[in-house]
Amino acid sequence: MSITPSQVLRAAADTVTALRQRTDEFIAGPPDPAADAELPPGLSARDARTGRKMMWLDGLVTNISESFVLNFVNPYALALGATNVQVGWLSALTNLAGALGQLPGARLDERGISRKLVVMVCGGGIARLLLIFIALVPLIFGGGTAIYAFIALIALRSFLNNLGVPAWSALVADIAPASIRGRYFASRNIALAIAALLFTPLAGRLAESLGLPLGYQANFLLAGLIGFGATAIFARIPEPPRQRPAAAEATTGHSPWTALRSHPQFAWFAAIAFIWNLGIMVAGPFFSVYLVRNLGASPTQIGLLAAINSFAAIFGQRLWGRLTDRRGPEWVVLVAGWSIPLIPVLYALVPNPWFLLPVEALSGFAWAGYGLANFNLLLDLTPLEQRARYIALYQIAVFTAAFIGPLVGSALANSVGIVGLFWISAAGRVVASLI
């Protein structure tokens, strides 16, 4: 029996329709009336679905942009002539600036200002413009001045990005109901990992081919331009009507300590996050320094290691996303968290960058689960009516630890060496896991 052209066209159309449906469900989740019932008043299921799609696409393009920046901030500083102490201060001040942005960001949210507008102006607008200015630093400044200008601009960018974090977190919690968050963020994080997998090696190769620091300048310039594409996508997210902020303001008042005392479980969660991140950031800024100065890694190798990390994260997101919805985020945080102390130990033992390929695979897989479940747990523990404020308090705990950690690491680096910092970091992570 012969197949007619109309049958071929019909089969092709059916295939395209099925593929579009599968893609739509992968991005926004399958239709779920129970999840739709959890949406805030004034936000339709259709608008929430559109919002999840745009948030997914925004994450994809944002991570393409960040792939040209994230793994190359410290190498760029080293190319400008930064010392180990200056690298430590770069990380510390970046995190301090992030902490300082949290409570003002929460207060902006509590005043009822459009969450989408806050994110677009702060992180999506000025912070991305700063990437272009950072690319121009070696052309404007020379010698030590260039390093200090670089540190100041990176810290200012961190402040602006984090000024919008409370609003972003509250907005995404509105459009992604609790019952589907594990699957949704797993899907979104896969998109982020794919972007990093493809574009971080490209960024490393570009930097190496152009020479240093010119290659890093080109990376930051591209990151800024691509980032504005993500801002345009974010602008299409439907925003639910804001509730009157006065009632929420009255419940907690203006004191962070009052907020922590009124939710002791959240306070304990934030305290553990402080210890965990302190252990991580004692050595955190020095992994890239160790790669470049001790192991002799090239920008291409740095990009390749980041790509392996992202590749492992892709597989981890699907597994951890299902487990988060099935077993709960607490279980995933515990299981994934116990693998993470191994990473600095393995770094301390390898003789050259190529031995780090399986280490980065383990890192990508474990951090995929920990990051996904920890964010879901944070949303679960924050009260709905003041989510932005509590997220800000949590981030302040994280960034305060991330400010102190590099300063401690810088002070210890000359006496115990970077390898010694790796062992101290591993011990700190174990202590936090035991708590």
Side-chain angles (χ1 to χ4, degrees), residues 285-337:
F286 300 100
F287 282 96
S288 56
V289 175
Y290 185 73
L291 272 173
V292 172
R293 288 187 172 162
N294 296 68
L295 300 184
S298 68
T300 300
Q301 288 173 315
I302 294 171
L304 180 60
L305 289 170
I308 293 297
N309 185 294
S310 300
F311 185 70
I314 292 171
F315 290 96
Q317 291 295 342
R318 294 302 286 174
L319 171 65
W320 296 120
R322 288 194 295 268
L323 288 172
T324 297
D325 286 338
R326 190 180 308 156
R327 303 292 297 270
E330 300 95 335
W331 185 88
V332 174
V333 164
L334 287 172
V335 173

Side-chain angles (χ1 to χ4, degrees), residues 128-178:
R128 283 173 173 151
L129 189 61
L130 285 177
L131 288 171
I132 298 173
F133 290 144
I134 293 167
L136 300 176
V137 162
L139 302 179
I140 301 172
F141 304 100
T145 308
I147 298 169
Y148 294 118
F150 178 81
I151 292 172
L153 289 171
I154 292 290
L156 179 58
R157 179 174 180 257
S158 175
F159 174 82
L160 290 164
N161 276 331
N162 285 281
L163 194 64
V165 164
W168 183 92
S169 301
L171 178 60
V172 78
D174 281 345
I175 64 175

